[in-house]
Amino acid sequence: MFKIILAETWGFCFGVERALRIVEKTSEKSEGSVKILNKIVHNASIVKKLEERSITSIKDLSEIEQGTLVISAHGVAPKVKDEASKKGLNIVDTTCPLVTRIHKATQQFLDKGYTVILYGDKSHNEVKGVVGLAPDRIIVANGPAEIDNLPVIEKPLALVSQSTQSLDGFDLMEQKLKEKYPSLEVENTICEPTVKRQEAIAKLAPQVDMLIVVGSTISSNSQRLLELAQKFCFKSYLIDGVEQIKIEWLKNVEKVGVTAGASTPAYLVKDVIESLYQIYEKHYLPKTITI
Ligand code: SF4
């Protein structure tokens, strides 16, 4: 019998809910323009809804001269905040407290003279923000494969992580780095909501014939959920919304698992579940013939 099973933990994390709540309040009480530096969270549907209310994103401080600047949940480098202050902007900071924790952990290592390896994607805004603490003393590596290419490091070395990286990947990074640098100091800064979503998918994926992650392709945590799901269930897909579901995916499928990234609103997940049931009923439900 066709069945859809939702992961035990899915969707919005507290950091995303918090950021959206702050933007909401800011736009209600602000009389001037409200611009968000980078995307508030990595979800196209949320960004579009904000744009419909004239709360738009900018990529660079050169695009704003006055009004309110919202710093996204991913945080920014200290010099970006300094520059915004110098421009006299009203700064509203929605940086997730668990991203701030990464900044603090990294800064503590730097203060003690360490070089820091940051496990993460160097093009991601969260990573750019952390690297901005000390660009010449923080090295970004996006997985164990990149460790062999690291320059020779003389100083004491520490390892931290982007908040949304894979737990397994972090363990491998630690193992491999310790082979080269046995005195490596480690602080696992992958956030708790990411851990919970990864644990839930590792439990669900082996039980289903197909798994759908609802989330944006630019969402780091959604990508990690997809990678993990694919280890256990080869028919795993990452989709932004219902329009990307393909009818043939449901052929010979009885159990479908569904989860969502930390920046995916619940209404998108509900739409996906409804659409999956409709496709099954229309195309694959066995028809009984009465004579
Ligand atoms: S994924 Fe983690 S670090 Fe990122 S906003 Fe959510 S709780 Fe914060």
Side-chain angles (χ1 to χ4, degrees):
M1 196 167 110
F2 185 72
K3 194 173 172 187
I4 295 176
I5 308 170
L6 200 50
E8 279 173 9
T9 312
W10 57 275
F12 274 5
C13 61
F14 88 94
V16 165
E17 281 180 345
R18 177 179 171 275
L20 293 174
R21 223 176 22 244
I22 296 173
V23 169
E24 197 64 45
K25 276 194 191 148
T26 303
S27 77
E28 275 167 22
K29 64 180 188 197
S30 172
E31 287 174 5
S33 75
V34 177
K35 302 276 182 205
I36 301 170
L37 183 58
N38 307 316
K39 295 190 170 29
I40 185 73
V41 293
H42 287 153
N43 183 273
S45 167
I46 292 177
V47 171
K48 187 163 168 263
K49 278 185 186 291
L50 289 172
E51 282 173 354
E52 283 164 4
R53 295 167 50 202
S54 302
I55 306 170
T56 52
S57 303
I58 56 170
K59 287 188 177 157
D60 197 86
L61 288 183
S62 63
E63 296 172 58
I64 180 169
E65 293 307 326
Q66 57 185 8
T68 297
L69 177 80
V70 177
I71 290 170
S72 79
H74 308 110
V76 291
K79 75 166 192 194
V80 176
K81 272 195 209 168
D82 291 347
E83 203 185 318
S85 293
K86 279 187 198 142
K87 281 191 154 196
L89 300 172
N90 172 36
I91 301 171
V92 175
D93 189 353
T94 76
T95 304
C96 176
L98 298 185
V99 172
T100 304
R101 180 186 146 222
I102 304 174
H103 282 239
K104 282 187 183 155
T106 305
Q107 190 60 56
Q108 278 170 4
F109 283 125
L110 294 169
D111 291 345
K112 288 190 275 180
Y114 281 71
T115 293
V116 177
I117 295 195
L118 170 58
Y119 172 35
D121 171 2
K122 64 175 184 288
S123 67
H124 194 283
N125 287 322
E126 180 188 315
V127 171
K128 288 181 187 170
V130 178
V131 170
L133 292 169
D136 53 345
R137 291 178 54 206
I138 299 174
I139 299 165
V140 180
N142 201 8
E146 293 189 10
I147 289 175
D148 293 333
N149 302 328
L150 291 180
V152 178
I153 302 160
E154 300 288 343
K155 283 186 177 158
L157 196 63
L159 171 67
V160 297
S161 177
Q162 182 182 351
S163 63
T164 47
Q165 280 298 333
S166 127
L167 277 172
D168 293 345
F170 188 83
D171 288 345
L172 284 172
M173 288 282 289
E174 180 178 348
Q175 266 174 36
K176 202 156 179 199
L177 276 167
K178 277 192 169 161
E179 285 166 15
K180 258 177 136 175
Y181 307 98
S183 61
L184 177 82
E185 288 277 333
V186 179
E187 182 147 354
N188 184 342
T189 50
I190 296 173
C191 73
E192 182 72 11
T194 292
V195 173
K196 290 257 182 280
R197 280 154 190 72
Q198 289 181 11
E199 285 173 350
I201 212 70
K203 195 170 160 191
L204 175 62
Q207 304 172 38
V208 295
D209 307 313
M210 176 178 124
L211 197 138
I212 291 202
V213 180
V214 190
S216 169
T217 50
I218 58 162
S219 156
S220 169
N221 74 86
S222 300
Q223 285 285 1
R224 300 294 86 75
L225 290 176
L226 176 68
E227 286 163 13
L228 192 54
Q230 283 171 334
K231 284 188 187 169
F232 301 100
C233 175
F234 81 98
K235 282 185 94 169
S236 294
Y237 307 100
L238 172 62
I239 58 169
D240 253 324
V242 283
E243 55 290 339
Q244 286 165 292
I245 300 173
K246 293 202 167 69
I247 294 167
E248 60 270 26
W249 287 354
L250 288 181
K251 193 173 180 189
N252 299 325
V253 162
E254 285 201 335
K255 279 192 200 162
V256 180
V258 174
T259 189
S263 49
T264 307
Y267 61 82
L268 289 181
V269 179
K270 184 172 166 277
D271 289 352
V272 165
I273 291 174
E274 280 175 8
S275 174
L276 287 168
Y277 275 124
Q278 282 165 9
I279 291 172
Y280 175 76
E281 279 171 18
K282 188 170 174 195
H283 298 275
Y284 297 107
L285 183 68
K287 310 275 185 298
T288 43
I289 302 168
T290 49
I291 301 173

